[in-house]
Amino acid sequence: MEYLGLLPDHIEPGLARTRLPWRVQLTNSRGDVHGGTLMSVLDFTLSAAARADLEAGVSMATIDMTTSFFSPANGDLVIEARCLKRGRSIAFCEGEIRNAGGEVVCKASGTFRIVRPKPDAAQPARVGTD
């Protein structure tokens, strides 16, 4: 996301917002922000909403993401995502991208697998109580 220039804006449990400043390097042959870029920043922001209040080291693996494009994306963009439901191992999210005028240019819904860090292999597993 650093390469794309995505900037964090706000995060709280179940909600994440990022910003994507317009750069010519992110555009297609028409000068609009490329759809692949839009999908990448949506994927990241949706997963951030899902893991916003989880313990450190937890990550997300995208299972499925559906994106609908409504109009060309021009100028600086705001990406906002919400976690609709999160279980022990799966999270369901939705989000949208708006242009500087507040118009929704695309929306996405995604399903993510919650990936928790593996216990340190160097430490033996504890059984029972002390």
Side-chain angles (χ1 to χ4, degrees):
M1 291 303 104
E2 183 179 333
Y3 178 78
L4 294 177
L6 189 65
L7 304 171
D9 184 56
H10 178 80
I11 193 154
E12 64 183 69
L15 176 71
R17 187 172 46 247
T18 57
R19 296 185 182 277
L20 183 68
W22 185 90
R23 291 186 2 238
V24 71
Q25 296 88 347
L26 302 178
T27 62
N28 58 24
S29 60
R30 293 183 313 278
D32 304 318
V33 178
H34 190 277
T37 299
L38 300 175
M39 292 176 73
S40 292
V41 298
L42 275 164
D43 182 59
F44 175 85
T45 308
L46 267 67
S47 69
R51 70 177 180 273
D53 61 340
L54 293 176
E55 61 273 13
V58 173
S59 61
M60 298 287 157
T62 307
I63 295 172
D64 179 65
M65 191 172 95
T66 302
T67 307
S68 299
F69 300 92
F70 305 126
S71 64
N74 294 296
D76 295 345
L77 303 172
V78 175
I79 305 93
E80 188 166 284
R82 294 157 297 289
C83 183
L84 305 174
K85 181 168 178 61
R86 187 180 70 208
R88 231 174 0 114
S89 61
I90 303 287
F92 301 91
C93 303
E94 68 179 12
E96 61 194 28
I97 298 179
R98 293 181 181 267
N99 63 19
E103 176 187 10
V104 176
V105 297
C106 64
K107 285 188 156 207
S109 61
T111 306
F112 299 88
R113 181 173 168 260
I114 300 168
V115 181
R116 300 193 190 294
K118 293 181 181 180
D120 187 359
Q123 295 182 2
R126 295 181 60 173
V127 179
T129 59
D130 290 292

